Amino acid sequence: MKNIPRLVVAPAVVLMLAGCVQEQVGTVGLTRSQDGGINIPVAWCGRAPHSMTVTILVHESWERVAKFDTTRTGNGSVTLDRNSPSPDWKLIWGDPRLRPGVTYYVEAYPDSGKDAIVGQLRFTLNDAATLRPGEVYVGDKDDTYTWNEFLESASQMCG
């Protein structure tokens, strides 16, 4: 008889938690430009969002670093040049300068971010330093893609 409440409560908790999980609709990465700057590419599948937000946090403390937003979407991907954002990107808050020896967490989400997330990535400046222009880092040290592979991985999120 003692197990009956657990049998009822456990599925209810799982269902409540499942309602809080956002659908992943793409991927986020890290690239280097020809001048060595760090860029954050975001690629999604499905309909084009009205806006895209990129947030950078310190991984260990979740301290907010910077938040950017753009309404220039539509072709399946956008790229944020963190050091020199194009006029399409607006710095909402923070200071996007990154420090060596710190692990960062970046996430991107479409529109309000309430219903879906494009992707998340943990990285350090050392991870970025190993990249050659044209490579996209998407996670573990072995997860380095070409630009086309990066776009394909995003399109598979809806597939």
Side-chain angles (χ1 to χ4, degrees):
M1 248 357 209
K2 291 181 191 177
N3 290 336
I4 291 176
R6 281 189 217 151
L7 292 174
V8 172
V9 172
V13 170
V14 170
L15 287 174
M16 285 188 320
L17 291 175
C20 297
V21 175
Q22 296 168 314
E23 176 185 13
Q24 186 169 350
V25 294
T27 190
V28 63
L30 197 65
T31 64
R32 288 184 62 181
S33 59
Q34 293 295 334
D35 66 2
I38 297 173
N39 296 335
I40 301 170
V42 180
W44 59 88
C45 58
R47 71 161 183 83
H50 295 96
S51 65
M52 186 62 63
T53 301
V54 172
T55 305
I56 304 170
L57 305 155
V58 174
H59 185 263
E60 292 83 8
S61 66
W62 301 108
E63 171 190 345
R64 297 170 7 153
V65 174
K67 180 178 182 178
F68 293 88
D69 189 55
T70 186
T71 56
R72 283 289 278 219
T73 62
N75 66 354
S77 70
V78 293
T79 300
L80 168 63
D81 181 334
R82 188 189 50 78
N83 292 332
S84 182
S86 70
D88 297 339
W89 286 94
K90 181 194 295 185
L91 177 63
I92 305 298
W93 47 256
D95 180 354
R97 290 180 288 186
L98 304 180
R99 301 180 313 264
V102 175
T103 301
Y104 292 97
Y105 178 82
V106 64
E107 69 179 4
Y109 53 88
D111 303 322
S112 70
K114 189 170 81 173
D115 299 321
I117 190 162
V118 174
Q120 304 162 329
L121 173 67
R122 196 173 75 174
F123 72 95
T124 65
L125 291 179
N126 285 342
D127 294 327
T130 64
L131 292 172
R132 294 185 302 270
E135 292 181 322
V136 182
Y137 173 75
V138 294
D140 297 330
K141 298 210 183 294
D142 296 331
D143 290 345
T144 304
Y145 294 168
T146 66
W147 182 253
N148 288 337
E149 290 169 336
F150 174 73
L151 294 176
E152 179 62 28
S153 72
S155 70
Q156 290 175 356
M157 291 292 173
C158 291

